[in-house]
Amino acid sequence: MPLALYIMSGERKGEVVPLEEGRPITVGRSAANAIRLPDRKLSRIHCQFQVIGGRCQVMDLNSTNGTLVNGQRIQGEVWLEPDDEVEIGMSRLRLAEISPAEAALAEAERPARAATRTCEECGRPIPEEDVASGRARSVGERFYCRHCMASFDEATVREPAAPTSHRAPALEPGTEIAGVRIVEVLGEGRLGRIYKGEQVSMRRYVALKTIHVNDEDWTQKYLNAVYASGQLVHQNVCLIFDTGEEDGLYYVVREYVEGVSLDRRLAERKALALSEAYSIVTQVAYALEYAAERHVLHGNLSPRKILIGNNGIVKVTGFGLPQTPPRGMDESDYRWAALPYTAPERLHSEGALDFATDLYSLVAIFYHAVTGRPPFTASTVSRLEGKILKRTPRPLSDFVEGIPDIAQHIVDRGLTKDPISRYQTPRELLYEFEERLRREI
């Protein structure tokens, strides 16, 4: 018989959520979950349900307040029986058997998610008038309702902040800078904006990044490093075409990749098939190997720096980013995106940057791609750093059934705390992937 979850409390009380074999769903207060519950006592991604062989398993995802099955707090995952009740925060769900006809009806009747802003903290819909009046607040791409803003300190929702100069108006389409005609804004980060543009002389699309930080010395250091990394000409490295300054605006012109970042793909799909993760990571390893032969380190590798073209070719970007932040930016803000993939020795002021640190980051990205989550997660910088320094990641088998032993071996060696015991060169890691892991896929 098909299985389903009955939501027994809260704003979604009475809703029936069918469960499909082999398709895990997560529950929490973040919009990233298949079941989003507006409950302040839930973690953003609280727990996961998965049907395997006709039975349902629930797994607590290191939630703050825990997951209870029939009143007993669980550790890791447990199997459920029909009519078992699961308590998470102030919410209750019950596992039940339903007929195929009931499952189809429940799926058809599930309310569509409203195309509106919802609170990242509690899940409430946010009226447009609250956004316009400032009663609701945005932090990066997240929004928080007036109820939550009134009940917790600003630091609770603090995210890496862009320097004040980021607030300068974006370049309008049609504006020309450095021989590039702006087409559209692709994104905005802590250090500047990235545009899609047309390089007029070559009649090709390029990506143009403008640098907006109030630290001219840092900006010049960054441009010099990027210029040096322009020597990297490889199919898996995003090519640098030009750097410079025009009318007081510093810029980098690089290859435009028609596709998506690994960061975005993981946000959409959570975890990737082992074969896809293998393909992406091996291509990044080839880029790192090519750079290593020219004595160029990356130093800030994260899923945001990995671009996946629509043709399947992976490009690595971000070589040359200085290891210290510009004046006026906190170290934690500067390294936030890369922190979950940062080697433990890099968290010490004396920690050296070498190829073992880049390879740690790549293996951590492989772990995320396979499991749907980084090796360590936490709500604050200090907690995350503490886990990176002291904890061991959960085994891949906790998340992926039938994962080959060699995949776990790669993770164990690649994420060890001792840099000497890790892979020392990209070639070593490529051997493990291509000569051993590929046979198991």
Side-chain angles (χ1 to χ4, degrees):
M1 293 285 285
L3 296 172
L5 291 172
Y6 280 83
I7 301 176
M8 303 175 66
S9 63
E11 293 182 17
R12 297 179 65 173
K13 180 179 179 181
E15 187 176 337
V16 181
V17 182
L19 300 173
E20 296 181 22
E21 178 80 28
R23 181 185 173 189
I25 65 171
T26 57
V27 183
R29 69 172 191 271
S30 168
N33 296 283
I35 303 179
R36 183 180 189 178
L37 299 176
D39 183 340
R40 288 274 309 274
K41 292 193 174 182
L42 291 187
S43 295
R44 287 183 171 83
I45 302 179
H46 195 101
C47 64
Q48 174 183 284
F49 292 87
Q50 183 173 11
V51 176
I52 302 172
R55 297 185 65 197
C56 182
Q57 183 184 79
V58 61
M59 176 189 301
D60 182 77
L61 299 178
N62 292 327
S63 64
T64 300
N65 293 319
T67 299
L68 282 71
V69 174
N70 298 327
Q72 299 294 317
R73 183 163 181 164
I74 67 171
Q75 298 293 329
E77 66 279 350
V78 301
W79 292 101
L80 299 177
E81 299 295 335
D83 294 326
D84 280 349
E85 291 192 4
V86 179
E87 294 180 54
I88 47 176
M90 299 179 65
S91 302
R92 288 187 301 129
L93 302 95
R94 180 168 60 87
L95 182 69
E97 291 183 330
I98 57 176
S99 68
E102 289 173 322
L105 180 62
E107 189 64 40
E109 291 182 345
R110 285 187 67 193
R113 293 187 179 183
T116 185
R117 294 187 180 98
T118 54
C119 178
E120 180 68 23
E121 184 70 12
C122 70
R124 290 187 181 97
I126 300 176
E128 286 296 329
E129 55 267 27
D130 281 6
V131 177
S133 66
R135 287 188 299 237
R137 194 174 302 173
S138 65
V139 180
E141 296 180 354
R142 301 176 180 179
F143 286 83
Y144 296 84
C145 71
R146 55 192 174 92
H147 305 286
C148 291
M149 291 311 304
S151 63
F152 56 69
D153 184 82
E154 172 74 13
T156 304
V157 295
R158 175 180 166 277
E159 285 194 343
T164 303
S165 56
H166 261 199
R167 297 173 185 172
L171 297 175
E172 294 291 333
T175 303
E176 194 167 314
I177 176 174
V180 176
R181 186 177 295 118
I182 300 300
V183 175
E184 61 179 330
V185 176
L186 293 177
E188 182 170 355
R190 299 154 296 157
L191 305 173
R193 292 190 181 93
I194 299 179
Y195 301 86
K196 178 181 179 180
E198 181 184 8
Q199 194 171 36
V200 179
S201 63
M202 301 296 292
R203 295 185 178 180
R204 64 181 175 188
Y205 287 126
V206 295
L208 183 141
K209 180 175 183 177
T210 54
I211 313 302
H212 300 284
V213 297
N214 294 320
D215 187 338
E216 190 167 342
D217 290 341
W218 183 94
T219 301
Q220 196 57 57
K221 180 180 178 181
Y222 170 63
L223 292 178
N224 290 341
V226 172
Y227 180 80
S229 70
Q231 67 179 290
L232 303 178
V233 181
H234 185 272
Q235 70 167 358
N236 297 125
V237 175
C238 203
L239 300 177
I240 302 296
F241 296 138
D242 192 17
T243 66
E245 178 267 335
E246 185 172 305
D247 296 330
L249 192 61
Y250 293 93
Y251 63 84
V252 174
V253 181
R254 65 165 171 79
E255 180 181 5
Y256 173 70
V257 179
E258 189 74 52
V260 65
S261 69
L262 178 57
D263 182 57
R264 179 65 61 86
R265 178 160 292 181
L266 290 172
E268 292 172 349
R269 291 165 49 182
K270 294 299 182 187
L272 307 181
L274 182 59
S275 58
E276 184 176 5
Y278 162 85
S279 174
I280 292 169
V281 171
T282 51
Q283 290 185 69
V284 176
Y286 273 113
L288 295 181
E289 180 188 40
Y290 177 83
E293 290 172 349
R294 287 148 184 82
H295 310 289
V296 176
L297 295 162
H298 194 288
N300 291 282
L301 195 62
S302 74
R304 292 187 182 185
K305 304 297 183 183
I306 299 171
L307 307 179
I308 307 167
N310 292 338
N311 57 2
I313 295 177
V314 171
K315 303 276 188 179
V316 180
T317 186
F319 285 95
L321 190 66
Q323 298 304 304
T324 55
R327 186 175 60 251
M329 182 181 288
D330 290 341
E331 178 76 24
S332 59
D333 286 348
Y334 186 61
R335 296 188 56 79
W336 177 261
L339 183 58
Y341 316 97
T342 299
E345 65 271 16
R346 294 297 316 285
L347 303 181
H348 303 293
S349 58
E350 69 276 9
L353 175 64
D354 59 19
F355 297 116
T357 62
D358 272 351
L359 295 176
Y360 177 101
S361 298
L362 184 54
V363 174
I365 291 168
F366 171 69
Y367 184 102
H368 186 170
V370 171
T371 66
R373 55 184 290 165
F376 306 102
T377 59
S379 58
T380 65
V381 170
S382 60
R383 289 179 181 175
L384 181 55
E385 290 182 343
K387 288 185 177 181
I388 292 171
L389 290 169
K390 300 177 182 178
R391 299 278 188 90
T392 300
R394 291 171 61 179
L396 297 176
S397 58
D398 281 4
F399 305 96
V400 185
E401 188 176 11
I403 193 78
D405 290 342
I406 180 58
Q408 185 61 55
H409 168 77
I410 290 171
V411 166
D412 290 342
R413 184 177 174 189
L415 300 185
T416 184
K417 309 298 182 190
D418 178 14
I420 302 301
S421 301
R422 282 187 220 133
Y423 300 103
Q424 299 298 301
T425 67
R427 173 50 52 188
E428 283 187 80
L429 182 59
L430 277 167
Y431 175 83
E432 297 275 59
F433 273 105
E434 295 196 310
E435 298 300 323
R436 302 184 66 189
L437 179 61
R438 185 170 59 178
R439 298 175 185 174
E440 306 291 335
I441 296 177

